[in-house]
Amino acid sequence: MGHKKKDGKNNRTLHQQAYDKLQKMQAFGDSKRLDKLENPEDFARKIYSFSTYQTYFKHIKYFIKWIQKEHPEVKTLKKAEKFVPEWLQTRVDKGLSAWTIQTEEAALNKLYQIKLDDEKRFQPPRRLKENITRSRGVKKRDAHFSEKANEKLINFCKACGFRRSVLERLTGSDLYDRAKAETAFAEAQEAGNEALAEALLVGLKTFLEQDYFILHRRDKGGKTRLSPIVGPHKDAVVRRMKATPPSEKVWQYVSTNCDIHGYRSEYATFIYKQYARPIEQLDYRKKIRCSDGKYRSEIYICRGSERRKRLDRRAVGIISIALGHSREDTAITNYIRNL
């Protein structure tokens, strides 16, 4: 892309430079987990899912547009890097949510390979549970979505914890009982499909007492996870899945006004209540191994608006696996409610 000046120098626009750089970072289908453990330098340079690529490029283009307006003399990405903190601060001053700002910071950190310990790295505002507005309260779109008419869909979502993208692609073949999951695990191992084998093994080992699962294919970040079907509508979900041919979609249409994220929260809360032990039986001094490999107290103490509320960290970890998150604070901040 781009043209060359008479002196031989590349005359690409900032947009073209960013596009070319992000193209080289694409590693769709690679194992993010394995790279993180075995090839940390590759992990820092790669983008593992198309949706992440799209999100990052969208926010990088916002940054480029701002550079072109506020610093028109800047013609290369390298020279634009020093203005990253200034731009992110303008986003804070504009009143954007902490979630949006952290996404924009992540996009630019990836573009410029800004490390965690870099003293010039921008420190975004903390994400607090009390500031979440998504799936909280009555929204305008609720007026265009009948819960009564969509009762079966809602109950289906509450039982499975879907993200919208997976729900819209879901087919009859994505229902797994324990025997099918164990067979699929052995086949994935034999075929060298480490990502699928790991997803199946983690699901089987974590949810030992569960007998039916959904295989969430190509979920956020390109991950696949095996999560249990739970709750009072479990049998209805299993019947519908079994009645759907393997190659056909379970839901031909999912309204854009359906609050999938809110029902995912109810799924997470149900699982927490199912697995949580009484707090009075737990010990602050007892440590358990977390997903990041570190050992922490088996009692999780909440912060922010729910300061000092105590939760069973083991149950929180189980929720994180069911939802496809690697960080326990994400499950607590975004999903667990009304405890």
Side-chain angles (χ1 to χ4, degrees):
M1 292 180 74
H3 304 279
K4 294 223 174 176
K5 294 181 179 179
K6 291 181 180 180
D7 59 7
K9 293 183 179 179
N10 204 316
N11 193 29
R12 295 174 302 159
T13 65
L14 289 173
H15 181 279
Q16 291 168 332
Q17 292 172 51
Y19 174 83
D20 289 348
K21 191 167 184 179
L22 290 176
Q23 286 286 303
K24 293 177 182 177
M25 291 181 173
Q26 291 180 2
F28 310 151
D30 286 8
S31 173
K32 184 176 180 179
R33 180 179 178 277
L34 288 177
D35 279 346
K36 190 173 184 179
L37 292 173
E38 300 175 4
N39 305 298
E41 290 187 6
D42 286 347
F43 171 75
R45 288 193 294 264
K46 291 181 178 181
I47 297 176
Y48 292 87
S49 79
F50 183 66
S51 60
T52 301
Y53 164 78
Q54 286 182 308
T55 299
Y56 281 4
F57 196 20
K58 178 179 74 173
H59 290 289
I60 287 168
K61 285 187 283 189
Y62 294 158
F63 170 64
I64 289 173
K65 187 175 180 179
W66 177 83
I67 286 287
Q68 291 171 331
K69 179 182 177 181
E70 301 296 329
H71 302 282
E73 74 283 359
V74 175
K75 301 299 181 183
T76 67
L77 278 182
K78 184 176 182 180
K79 290 183 178 179
E81 181 178 359
K82 67 179 182 181
F83 297 106
V84 167
E86 180 184 339
W87 181 70
L88 289 172
Q89 187 59 52
T90 68
R91 308 298 270 175
V92 174
D93 297 341
K94 192 176 180 180
L96 298 184
S97 74
W99 282 263
T100 298
I101 295 167
Q102 289 204 11
T103 299
E104 297 189 327
E105 183 221 11
L108 290 163
N109 287 342
K110 178 66 71 171
L111 179 71
Y112 286 114
Q113 297 293 284
I114 302 174
K115 297 181 179 180
L116 276 170
D117 58 357
D118 191 322
E119 60 180 16
K120 296 180 181 179
R121 183 179 173 118
F122 185 80
Q123 298 301 316
R126 285 180 56 195
R127 298 180 291 189
L128 301 176
K129 189 169 185 175
E130 57 266 31
N131 294 332
I132 298 176
T133 58
R134 184 182 182 186
S135 299
R136 302 313 201 261
V138 178
K139 307 294 183 184
K140 288 183 179 179
R141 69 179 182 183
D142 294 341
H144 305 286
F145 183 77
S146 168
E147 292 195 349
K148 184 176 181 180
N150 292 278
E151 184 178 9
K152 291 182 179 179
L153 173 61
I154 292 170
N155 292 339
F156 196 92
C157 292
K158 290 178 180 179
C160 301
F162 293 105
R163 288 188 174 94
R164 178 178 292 276
S165 61
V166 174
L167 176 62
E168 291 176 340
R169 293 194 308 267
L170 188 71
T171 65
S173 65
D174 294 324
L175 174 68
Y176 281 67
D177 59 18
R178 185 162 288 275
K180 180 180 175 180
E182 289 172 348
T183 299
F185 167 69
E187 291 174 348
Q189 270 195 318
E190 186 175 347
N193 189 340
E194 296 181 2
L196 177 59
E198 181 186 14
L200 291 164
L201 181 61
V202 169
L204 287 168
K205 289 177 65 177
T206 303
F207 307 103
L208 292 172
E209 56 289 298
Q210 304 294 344
D211 52 358
Y212 279 102
F213 307 84
I214 295 291
L215 188 67
H216 298 245
R217 303 178 188 271
R218 303 193 312 279
D219 204 352
K220 186 175 182 179
K223 297 178 182 178
T224 294
R225 62 187 167 94
L226 187 73
S227 296
I229 305 171
V230 300
H233 307 292
K234 172 182 174 179
D235 291 343
V237 170
V238 172
R239 284 196 300 271
R240 186 179 183 107
M241 292 292 295
K242 286 183 174 180
T244 305
S247 60
E248 288 189 15
K249 288 186 177 182
V250 180
W251 297 95
Q252 297 299 320
Y253 171 74
V254 179
S255 171
T256 56
N257 295 312
C258 181
D259 186 10
I260 306 295
H261 186 80
Y263 307 135
R264 183 168 151 84
S265 172
E266 294 191 41
Y267 172 79
T269 303
F270 183 93
I271 291 181
Y272 178 83
K273 291 178 178 179
Q274 188 175 38
Y275 285 92
R277 299 163 293 177
I279 290 296
E280 58 271 16
Q281 295 180 10
L282 305 183
D283 187 345
Y284 283 107
R285 295 166 295 182
K286 184 177 180 180
K287 307 290 184 179
I288 62 172
R289 192 172 186 270
C290 299
S291 60
D292 60 3
K294 296 181 180 180
Y295 285 83
R296 298 182 178 90
S297 170
E298 64 178 353
I299 297 178
Y300 182 97
I301 302 178
C302 297
R303 292 164 291 186
S305 62
E306 297 187 323
R307 188 169 177 265
R308 295 196 176 281
K309 177 183 284 187
R310 299 178 298 164
L311 299 175
D312 180 353
R313 193 186 294 272
R314 187 187 71 177
V316 172
I318 290 172
I319 291 173
S320 298
I321 292 171
L323 294 174
H325 280 293
S326 58
R327 292 168 46 190
E328 60 184 22
D329 60 330
T330 301
I332 294 167
T333 303
N334 292 281
Y335 295 103
I336 303 176
R337 304 180 191 173
N338 305 318
L339 295 177

